[in-house]
Amino acid sequence: MCSASLGRAVLPLLALAGLTAAATPYAPQPPPLSTDWTEDVGTHPWPEYPRPQLQRSQWQTLNGVWEYRNAESAAALAVPPFGESLDTEVLVPSCLESGLSGLQAQNTIYSWLSTHFSVPDDWQDQRVLLNFGAVDYEATVFINGERAAFNRGGYFEFTVDATDFVNFGDDNELLVFVYDPTDGEDAVIPIGKQTLNQRHIFYTPCSGIWQSVWLESAPKEYITKLDLTADMNGEVTVIVHSASGNGDSVEVKVENGDETIASHTANADEHFTFTVDDVKLWSPDSPNLYNITVTLGDDEIRSYTGFRTISKGTVDGIVRPLVNGEFRFLFGTLDQGFWPDGIYTPPTREAMVYDLQLLKDLGFNMVRKHIKVENALFYRACDELGLFVIQDMPSLPLVEPNADQQAEFARQLEVLVNQLKSHPSIMSWVIYNEGWGQILSTNPEFDLTDRIRELDPTRLVNSVTGWYDHGAGDYSDNHHYANPQCGTPFYSSLSSPYDPERIGIQGEFGGIGHNVSIENLWNVQAAIDTIDETYELDATLEVWNYRSRTLLTELRDQISRFACSAAIWTQTTDVEGEVNGLMTYDRRLKRVDEQQWKDDIESLYRAARGRGETPDERVSDRGVLRY
Ligand SMILES: *[C@@H]1O[C@H](CO)[C@@H](O)[C@H](O)[C@H]1NC(C)=O
Ligand SMILES: *[C@@H]1O[C@H](CO)[C@@H](O)[C@H](O)[C@H]1NC(C)=O
């Protein structure tokens, strides 16, 4: 080494620049089960523009191969490895536990992740914004050796104003410290189905940067967030949030193709409304969307909306969910959003949309996004396809939180609603699933329901889906396997009888299973050993489809006779040791007899429409109820 001639100050720099070992090159690890998209991921994952409801033209993705080091403990945060090469290359975005990350690691509680980026010289007079789609669970962000931001919450986007930290036209170092205890270290935080201790319905956790990271430039004064909804009367309700909060003038234009069909000028940071004439409404049958352009000074962003109204009302004596003023039966699946190769991160956008397209093709008009939050392109796909979304808040572990943990849960619930509330496809929010993390002594679901209604008066609230219902919210929700008990006067175990003051929904049913050969199974022995915990295992696909028809026929009867307004079938796909999907975990085998399912789902809607007819009209010539 030639260090003799170098001064003290230069030595560490030299060490940083060249003397640390290079990171082990990235290679995906073979997951316990692959998908048809595993090989498509490559080293430039998720290249799509990530934020469809607030688009700017100047952006660059930071997705790709980064470097990773297990930071071992919280103490590591005091000594960030600035300028060092870390141990192993890693794919971003990915869950560190996934094969696609290149690590397929376990117990990644403390992590360092780093990359380098350049900022174009011509962004010089602009703001430079660094966006993260989601980092599970806490992220401390350093840019060029300076601490730039901290974020808590594993499912939510955040933006760092990087302007004062970056070098224009030059190299920049981005270093992120991630802390993710999942359900270890006595943590009681929103985790959904992730656990360090996997068992049957609880799955592999996700740690790290699992959604897109990207840079954009914006003018000095810029739009930080757009809240925009539009209803069946053509009324558009808007708040344009600005960085300064000064309430500057903004213009909102509604477009149809190349034509501007309405424009309105108002002030940023204030709630305002205006009306558009003759709009085509959004519904699952005709998911009409309109482009929106919003201008604030030099900042111009693109967005979109759909005109529709979600409400509840009494139809023929029964409280119903109304879509554009009319009752329509809503039928969806429990949609977990887990992938064998990417865990929480779908391998590609095509893979993600494949699931939704299958549901749409079978005739479902809804998904229940189950205790997980997806990237914005998922909700955009639902907006475009015409699939309603019931959006769950990711649950806490199955313990009662203390006061601080409850306050943080409530804070993140607000973040969830604020992040997603401009998507036309979302029709309901869920606070608690089956009592998980639900404090039973004080019933916090009442206050939380009120808070959601303040933040978003345009949707229904399913305060408690399954188990401990105390009367909060818009739904009377039963979970029952395998048979439905939807809006019925009969019930069992932890569920409640149908409450006629609210909408009757079967928040979960089905769950019937069918084992498959090892090529389509999550090949982890501990998971395979729990397959017999599935509610029911049917020996063949023919029997599984026979049983499906039986359960959907029961549901249809309940729609005809009782007060059943919506239902959720468990579930879209198998997940790890659960073999009860419409298709297997790898999406390579469809269990559904597609024509049979299409017919049966259509008969649910027909039964609901038949509720408008008198009993006489419904009795056919042969004297039997027809559907
Ligand atoms: C919205 O804008 C996009 C991109 O410019 C265009 O492809 C799409 O057709 C537009 N949609 C409507 C409904 O005008
Ligand atoms: C399911 O199938 C796998 C392999 O195909 C087998 O190892 C396992 O024992 C089966 N489990 C049950 C409950 O049938």
Side-chain angles (χ1 to χ4, degrees):
M1 297 291 152
C2 54
S3 58
S5 62
L6 295 172
R8 270 167 196 274
V10 182
L11 246 183
L13 283 178
L14 185 68
L16 304 183
L19 298 183
T20 54
T24 309
Y26 170 72
Q29 300 296 309
L33 180 67
S34 68
T35 69
D36 284 348
W37 300 276
T38 311
E39 300 287 320
D40 298 343
V41 176
T43 52
H44 297 99
W46 287 92
E48 297 85 5
Y49 188 84
R51 199 181 52 199
Q53 289 193 312
L54 206 166
Q55 300 179 36
R56 282 197 183 87
S57 50
Q58 290 195 311
W59 75 289
Q60 68 190 44
T61 184
L62 297 189
N63 292 347
V65 175
W66 292 34
E67 293 182 1
Y68 163 83
R69 173 180 297 168
N70 188 335
E72 309 288 350
S73 76
L77 185 54
V79 278
F82 297 132
E84 289 180 39
S85 187
L86 303 185
D87 301 345
T88 316
E89 289 188 343
V90 62
L91 196 68
V92 169
S94 73
C95 302
L96 299 174
E97 293 82 349
S98 69
L100 284 170
S101 73
L103 302 171
Q104 204 152 235
Q106 291 180 356
N107 297 312
T108 46
I109 293 176
Y110 302 94
S111 306
W112 287 112
L113 290 117
S114 74
T115 191
H116 288 258
F117 62 92
S118 59
V119 182
D121 241 342
D122 60 4
W123 289 13
Q124 194 79 249
D125 297 319
Q126 309 266 306
R127 296 260 131 206
V128 179
L129 306 177
L130 169 63
N131 299 292
F132 291 82
V135 182
D136 198 355
Y137 172 70
E138 290 178 359
T140 309
V141 179
F142 298 89
I143 301 169
N144 294 328
E146 287 189 78
R147 184 176 157 133
F150 171 80
N151 187 71
R152 174 175 293 138
Y155 297 90
F156 308 111
E157 64 192 19
F158 60 97
T159 298
V160 182
D161 184 344
T163 318
D164 296 340
F165 299 96
V166 295
N167 307 312
F168 291 88
D170 202 352
D171 183 65
N172 294 276
E173 184 196 60
L174 173 59
L175 181 66
V176 184
F177 182 77
V178 179
Y179 170 56
D180 184 14
T182 311
D183 52 354
E185 307 203 324
D186 298 323
V188 179
I189 59 176
I191 52 172
K193 289 242 172 171
Q194 308 178 65
T195 179
L196 296 178
N197 168 28
Q198 290 104 58
R199 54 204 189 277
H200 197 54
I201 65 161
F202 296 99
Y203 321 130
T204 302
C206 174
S207 307
I209 303 172
W210 66 278
Q211 290 185 21
S212 290
V213 186
W214 51 291
L215 281 180
E216 66 185 322
S217 73
K220 287 253 158 18
E221 169 63 333
Y222 65 99
I223 297 164
T224 52
K225 187 170 186 301
L226 177 65
D227 298 338
L228 194 149
T229 55
D231 74 11
M232 60 184 277
N233 302 314
E235 186 169 82
V236 185
T237 301
V238 191
I239 304 179
V240 181
H241 300 266
S242 74
S244 71
N246 284 345
D248 294 351
S249 174
V250 292
E251 185 184 38
V252 180
K253 279 192 265 181
V254 180
E255 293 146 24
N256 189 11
D258 293 337
E259 195 193 347
T260 298
I261 56 168
S263 71
H264 186 82
T265 303
N267 293 327
D269 310 299
E270 283 173 16
H271 173 277
F272 62 89
T273 62
F274 62 97
T275 302
V276 185
D277 296 330
D278 300 324
V279 289
K280 288 193 216 122
L281 300 188
W282 186 98
S283 78
D285 317 310
S286 52
N288 295 305
L289 297 173
Y290 288 85
N291 285 328
I292 304 273
T293 300
V294 182
T295 313
L296 165 80
D298 293 335
D299 196 18
E300 181 177 284
I301 61 109
R302 310 264 301 147
S303 188
Y304 68 87
T305 193
F307 289 81
R308 96 284 181 276
T309 298
I310 304 300
S311 58
K312 67 178 171 183
T314 303
V315 181
D316 298 325
I318 299 175
V319 179
R320 298 294 197 183
L322 306 180
V323 176
N324 298 330
E326 288 177 16
F327 166 50
R328 72 181 292 160
F329 186 78
L330 300 168
F331 191 46
T333 56
L334 197 71
D335 198 77
Q336 311 257 14
F338 273 75
W339 296 84
D341 43 10
I343 312 296
Y344 253 9
T345 309
T348 64
R349 180 182 168 277
E350 289 70 30
M352 183 178 78
V353 174
Y354 176 85
D355 282 8
L356 298 172
Q357 187 68 55
L358 177 82
L359 300 178
K360 186 74 188 174
D361 290 346
L362 290 174
F364 288 96
N365 56 18
M366 184 163 74
V367 286
R368 175 174 167 211
K369 180 41 64 183
H370 190 40
I371 49 179
K372 183 193 175 192
V373 183
E374 298 287 356
N375 67 50
L377 296 178
F378 174 93
Y379 300 97
R380 185 200 180 116
C382 293
D383 295 338
E384 288 176 344
L385 285 169
L387 268 176
F388 274 122
V389 178
I390 294 181
Q391 177 63 50
D392 291 11
M393 174 65 191
S395 318
L396 300 174
L398 280 62
V399 295
E400 279 206 2
N402 65 28
D404 288 347
Q405 292 158 346
Q406 176 65 14
E408 181 59 20
F409 176 79
R411 186 191 70 82
Q412 291 188 30
L413 175 65
E414 293 191 10
V415 174
L416 170 77
V417 173
N418 280 325
Q419 178 168 319
L420 296 180
K421 67 182 176 181
S422 297
H423 286 283
S425 56
I426 296 180
M427 57 94 49
S428 288
W429 306 105
V430 169
I431 304 173
Y432 288 112
N433 176 64
E434 294 185 347
W436 303 358
Q438 183 183 356
I439 300 173
L440 297 177
S441 51
T442 57
N443 300 346
E445 67 265 26
F446 283 92
D447 283 349
L448 294 174
T449 300
D450 289 345
R451 185 65 189 127
I452 292 178
R453 286 179 175 152
E454 278 169 34
L455 294 172
D456 177 18
T458 72
R459 292 181 178 83
L460 302 174
V461 184
N462 192 348
S463 307
V464 166
T465 182
W467 300 12
Y468 307 115
D469 180 22
H470 308 111
D474 298 307
Y475 292 91
S476 173
D477 190 341
N478 179 303
H479 286 191
H480 194 263
Y481 288 99
N483 313 54
Q485 298 176 341
C486 184
T488 61
F490 55 90
Y491 63 104
S492 46
S493 64
L494 288 168
S495 65
S496 312
Y498 164 64
D499 166 11
E501 300 292 310
R502 291 176 294 156
I503 298 164
I505 181 174
Q506 185 71 35
E508 293 181 20
F509 80 114
I512 56 174
H514 158 255
N515 201 5
V516 287
S517 58
I518 196 69
E519 304 85 72
N520 301 107
L521 278 181
W522 176 249
N523 195 352
V524 172
Q525 195 56 45
I528 291 174
D529 290 345
T530 67
I531 285 176
D532 59 5
E533 290 177 36
T534 308
Y535 289 104
E536 166 182 319
L537 286 169
D538 302 329
T540 64
L541 279 180
E542 208 181 333
V543 176
W544 187 88
N545 278 291
Y546 158 75
R547 288 288 296 144
S548 307
R549 170 154 274 183
T550 305
L551 298 175
L552 293 182
T553 303
E554 269 193 63
L555 184 68
R556 189 193 66 193
D557 285 349
Q558 292 170 12
I559 296 167
S560 289
R561 290 169 193 275
F562 304 116
C564 176
S565 296
I568 301 292
W569 176 274
T570 300
Q571 56 189 344
T572 309
T573 71
D574 293 355
V575 188
E576 302 196 354
E578 274 188 284
V579 292
N580 52 10
L582 302 179
M583 50 188 163
T584 50
Y585 197 20
D586 57 4
R587 281 78 170 164
R588 286 189 178 117
L589 179 79
K590 287 181 198 156
R591 289 199 179 83
V592 282
D593 174 332
E594 292 184 58
Q595 193 54 52
Q596 178 195 308
W597 271 74
K598 282 181 195 173
D599 293 346
D600 288 351
I601 291 175
E602 184 51 37
S603 84
L604 304 178
Y605 301 138
R606 225 176 310 135
R609 287 196 298 271
R611 292 301 298 245
E613 301 169 5
T614 65
D616 275 356
E617 285 168 335
R618 280 196 288 141
V619 174
S620 74
D621 298 344
R622 284 174 296 142
V624 294
L625 277 177
R626 65 181 165 78
Y627 298 98

